[in-house]
Structures are given as structure tokens and as C-alpha cells.
Amino acid sequence: MSIHTMLIPLLIIAPLFFATAGFVFQKKAKLVGLVFSVVFFLLNFLLFISTGQGLVEPYFFGGFKPPLGITFHTQPFGVLILFVSSFILLVTFFYAALDLKLSHSRLFYPLAIFLSLGFVIIYLSRDIFNIYIGLEIIGLSAVGLSALEKNFLSIRSALIYLFATLVASGFYLLGVAILYLKYSLLDITLLAQVIQSDFTTLVAIGFMILAFFIKTAIFPFSFWLPNAHANALSPVSAILSALVIKTTFYLLFTFSTKLIPLGESIGIFLTSIGIVAIFYGGIKAFLSQNLKRLIAYSTISQVGYLLVVFIFSTTSAFYGMSFALLSHAFAKAGLFLAGGIIIYMAQTKSLTKLNGAVSLAPVAVFAIGLSSVSLIGLPPSLGFVSKWYFLQTSFESGTWWIFLALIGGGLLSALYLFRLIIILLDKTSADGFSPRYYKNKNTLTLLQTLAFTLSFLSVFVAFFSTYFIKFLGPYYGF
């Protein structure tokens, strides 16, 4: 067994061990969480490096090969997202250690660690039932995290989120059951070799896609997201928006390109939904008077950009989608963490009461500005690289309605994000709020630095886009 494949069982064992330790030794949960975040990042860094060197190998648990055994496989797209997720978790864990609202919460770390196990399963597993286990781990952990605020709004939002994720999991499991009854296979590679486009199979795939739509909060199944993200603690909001919803979009993309390719009409339909989501989320964000709800509705809008990939069957569109996914992960995590600092100090989420908040946390406001640059798609950000690939592809294919929709979506993003920045910078109309300060000034500096790091990467990583293109190659998933 190579060192590369040895990393896979370690990535399974580490979250199980540390999550258990966090639950058992709750007084030491923070220390356990911080140690885990470093270990998990280092393991994923090694996996990322070895995959970049061309080591793309399967790992058979217990030595049993499919159809009896479960295969994990390190392919570039999944490994890249898992690596980025591990880094965002690392930053968020250290942010949470300094967040006063989480100082007495002993459940954040074990739940978030358990969540990371779901990430490993989703991005590396090739077994559709094993993926269901990963979805359940992520869904239940995310619901628990979203309820940590322990007030009426957060608990109600968590219950709605629980309902949505359980219904979606039920749809997915129903699809798995139908496919297994028909083909007696669970391994994706083997299924792809024998699967047919008959009515029974399409019904099964339809149930799975519906599940992914709900869990990814793709319009019009995004009813649970604004409240769940807006009423959660800021580090939790960052994890939910930047990482959790990416897992099911990843599955949506890989299933629809490798398991049973979608037809042109379905691709147009999915992209049309994405365009509607871009404008629906953007308009709702522009009308929001709550900082976290604005960021949450922005997530619905940004997810719409990911769906544009389904109308194109080109490598450049795949790169555009990949960079959109990564830029959103960095930018949205930075936005929620920076917003959390401002909300804590100003003691309000209301935009009408945040005029001049730059005087409280200037670096946090700068971080919001950098994230906005990437979300709008301005150069030289990673968001710009993503939109450039999409615009180039739509221009070359003559799909002008997509070209114009992408331009219009960027302008709408600029409207609500520039509106937010203007409010935060407008000291002349400040309402004279009474700020709440951290006892240790270094705490504020560290929190702002962590938020700034993620927002900065949403721009800076663009300079390494050629490396990521080489890393991904002309590869579409599983």
C-alpha cells in the first residue's frame, strides 16, 4: 500500500477519533478541535500534493473490491474541494476558539469534526449507499450546529433545516434502492458501465437530483437556507454556506456527468433555473435589511452560477464552475466571519444601524470588500477567472442569453454588495451605537486577521489558476 492510499483510512479514522474525544471530554473540546483542524488539514495537504503528482489510486476497504467492497478514490476534483474545505475548517476552528459566543459551547467542535467525516465520504467514496451515509452525517451535524445559538429563531430555523434535509435524504435513499433493485450494484464505476436510460432508471436519478436540489438550496428549494444561515452563529454560517452546500452540488455534477449524462434539454433546464436563482437571490439580498440575511440570500444567487455548467459540455465551462465553487467558498466564509465581528461589536444585525461600522473593525470591513470583489467577479479575483471562462464559453457557443444573464447577475451583485460597503463606510450618518468591545484587544485583531485571510484568498488564489487547471486536467469528476 502506498503512502497516498494510506492517507484515506487516516482521513476516516481521524474525525471519528477526535469527534469521540470531543464528545467524551467536553471540557477539552476546544483543544481537541484545534488539534484536529491542524491534523485534518495536514492529511489533506499531503493527499493534495500526492494527487497533484499523478497518484490517482483507488482504496478498497478491507481489501474487498466492488461489487462486494467499498471503493474510495482520489480524483483531482474531489481532492481539491476537500483540501480547500480542510483549510477553511482550520481557519474557522481557530476563529471559533476566539468567538465569545462560542466560548461556552462544547458541542461546536465535536459536531464540526463529525461533519468533516461526511466531507471525506462525499468527495472520495464511489459507493452510492456509502454516499448516503455521508449525506446523513453532514445533514444531522449541520442541523445541530445551526441550533447552537439556542434562541427561538435559531432553533426554529434548525427544525426547518432538519425537515428539509431528512426529506432530501429520503428521496436520495429511494433512488439508491431503485437502482440497486434494478442493477444489484452500488459502485458508481460499475453502474456507469451498465446503466440504461429507461423509465425506472430515470425515476431513480430524478429522486437523487431532487435530493441534491433541496440540500444545495437550489431555487425554488432554497426556502430553508436564509433563516438557517442568518440565525446561526457566525462560524457555523461560514461552514454551512462555504462548505456544506458544496457537497451536494459536487454530487449533482458528478452524477449527471459520469453516472448518467443529462440530455441537452435537461442541461438547458438546469441552467435556466440557475439564471433565475442568480436574480432571485440577488434581488432578495438587495432588499434585505439584515446583514446575515443579505449574505445568506447572496449564497442562493451565487449557487445559480454553478448551474451554468450544465448547458455546456466543455472543459472551459468545467474550469469556470470549479473556480466559481472555490471563490464562493473562500469569499462567503470570509464574509460571514467578518460580519460576525461587526455584529458582535455593534450589537445588531440591522443594516440601518451599521452606518460607520468601519470605525469598529476596519480590517473586517476590508475583508468584506475583498470578498465582494470576488463575488461580483471583478479582476483580479478568482470570481473574475470563473466568470471569464463562463463568458468565453457562452460567447464562443453563441448562447447570448447566458452571456447577458452573467453580466446582469454581476451588476446585481455589485448593487447589493456596494450598498453594504457604503453603509459600513458611511461615518457621516452613523447612529451613534454603543459598541461592545472584546476584553483583549488582541482577540479582535486575530479574529479580523482570520476573516481577512479567507477573503484575501478569494482574490489571491486567482494568480495560481493555471496551476489548478493543470491539477484538474480535462477531468469531470468520478
Side-chain angles (χ1 to χ4, degrees):
M1 184 188 299
S2 68
I3 296 177
H4 179 76
T5 52
M6 285 178 62
L7 291 170
I8 295 177
L10 288 176
L11 284 168
I12 297 290
I13 294 169
L16 286 173
F17 173 78
F18 283 98
T20 303
F23 278 119
V24 174
F25 306 104
Q26 291 192 14
K27 291 184 178 180
K28 299 292 184 181
K30 182 185 293 186
L31 177 61
V32 170
L34 295 180
V35 172
F36 166 77
S37 66
V38 175
V39 171
F40 190 63
F41 171 72
L42 290 176
L43 289 174
N44 279 287
F45 176 73
L46 292 174
L47 189 68
F48 175 76
I49 294 299
S50 59
T51 303
Q53 294 173 347
L55 298 176
V56 181
E57 303 175 21
Y59 176 83
F60 307 109
F61 272 89
F64 295 100
K65 295 184 178 182
L68 296 177
I70 297 174
T71 304
F72 274 53
H73 199 278
T74 54
Q75 50 80 23
F77 187 35
V79 169
L80 175 60
I81 306 174
L82 186 58
F83 169 63
V84 170
S85 299
S86 70
F87 178 77
I88 292 175
L89 279 175
L90 173 70
V91 174
T92 306
F93 273 36
F94 276 85
Y95 179 101
L98 299 170
D99 190 333
L100 295 182
K101 281 195 172 185
L102 275 168
S103 60
H104 302 295
S105 178
R106 297 173 179 175
L107 291 177
F108 171 80
Y109 290 100
L111 285 172
I113 293 170
F114 204 48
L115 184 79
S116 69
L117 173 61
F119 293 161
V120 174
I121 294 172
I122 295 299
Y123 292 124
L124 299 183
S125 179
R126 298 173 71 97
D127 182 283
I128 57 175
F129 182 76
N130 199 42
I131 286 172
Y132 166 74
I133 302 300
L135 289 174
E136 286 295 89
I137 290 173
I138 291 174
L140 296 177
S141 300
V143 168
L145 287 169
S146 65
L148 289 180
E149 181 73 275
K150 296 182 180 179
N151 57 41
F152 173 76
L153 290 176
S154 65
I155 293 174
R156 185 180 67 175
S157 301
L159 288 174
I160 296 173
Y161 185 13
L162 176 63
F163 170 78
T165 193
L166 289 179
V167 169
S169 295
F171 283 133
Y172 178 82
L173 185 59
L174 181 58
V176 171
I178 294 172
L179 288 180
Y180 185 72
L181 286 172
K182 183 172 178 61
Y183 298 104
S184 299
L185 292 171
L186 294 173
D187 184 78
I188 291 175
T189 302
L190 297 181
L191 268 173
Q193 295 172 2
V194 300
I195 200 166
Q196 302 170 359
S197 298
D198 56 29
F199 177 76
T200 304
T201 302
L202 292 177
V203 168
I205 297 298
F207 280 128
M208 291 177 163
I209 290 178
L210 179 58
F212 300 150
F213 264 56
I214 297 172
K215 286 180 176 284
T216 313
I218 295 173
F219 180 84
F221 302 101
S222 53
F223 61 91
W224 60 267
L225 184 145
N227 289 329
H229 289 198
N231 295 315
L233 295 167
S234 294
V236 174
S237 300
I239 292 173
L240 295 178
S241 180
L243 305 181
V244 171
I245 62 173
K246 303 300 189 303
T247 57
T248 42
F249 175 80
Y250 170 81
L251 292 175
L252 173 63
F253 178 74
T254 50
F255 273 49
S256 61
T257 53
K258 287 299 177 182
L259 189 58
I260 181 167
L262 302 176
E264 182 180 354
S265 58
I266 300 297
I268 294 173
F269 173 71
L270 292 178
T271 299
S272 299
I273 291 177
I275 298 300
V276 173
I278 290 172
F279 288 96
Y280 168 79
I283 292 171
K284 294 290 285 187
F286 181 77
L287 297 176
S288 294
Q289 297 300 319
N290 179 297
L291 175 57
K292 291 190 72 173
R293 287 184 70 84
L294 182 151
I295 302 173
Y297 276 115
S298 172
T299 297
I300 296 174
S301 178
Q302 295 297 320
V303 166
Y305 287 102
L306 300 177
L307 297 180
V308 174
V309 71
F310 290 108
I311 200 172
F312 302 115
S313 299
T314 63
T315 304
S316 59
F318 169 65
Y319 293 150
M321 180 273 295
S322 301
F323 290 136
L325 191 152
L326 297 181
S327 67
H328 179 266
F330 283 123
K332 198 50 65 76
L335 263 179
F336 270 117
L337 296 186
I341 298 167
I342 294 170
I343 290 168
Y344 175 82
M345 298 192 70
Q347 304 184 61
T348 180
K349 298 178 184 178
S350 175
L351 291 179
T352 59
K353 299 179 181 179
L354 288 177
N355 297 88
V358 65
S359 60
L360 300 178
V363 178
V365 174
F366 189 22
I368 289 175
L370 285 176
S371 288
S372 299
V373 166
S374 191
L375 293 175
I376 294 169
L378 298 176
S381 68
L382 194 58
F384 169 76
V385 177
S386 166
K387 286 187 173 61
W388 178 263
Y389 275 106
F390 277 140
L391 290 170
Q392 183 183 42
T393 304
S394 60
F395 178 81
E396 292 175 350
S397 62
T399 49
W400 293 103
W401 62 283
I402 296 179
F403 186 92
L404 295 175
L406 293 173
I407 297 295
L411 293 174
L412 183 56
S413 298
L415 282 176
Y416 66 78
L417 288 169
F418 283 155
R419 168 177 169 258
L420 170 62
I421 294 171
I422 289 170
I423 289 173
L424 297 176
L425 294 177
D426 185 16
K427 294 182 181 180
T428 58
S429 58
D431 290 331
F433 42 69
S434 300
R436 174 172 48 185
Y437 293 101
Y438 293 90
K439 292 181 180 179
N440 187 341
K441 291 184 178 180
N442 292 332
T443 300
L444 175 60
T445 302
L446 289 171
L447 286 169
Q448 291 188 98
T449 301
L450 291 169
F452 176 81
T453 298
L454 295 176
S455 297
F456 175 73
L457 287 175
S458 71
V459 176
F460 182 70
V461 170
F463 294 101
F464 298 91
S465 57
T466 53
Y467 170 79
F468 288 119
I469 289 173
K470 185 183 297 185
F471 180 87
L472 290 168
Y475 202 74
Y476 290 95
F478 285 112

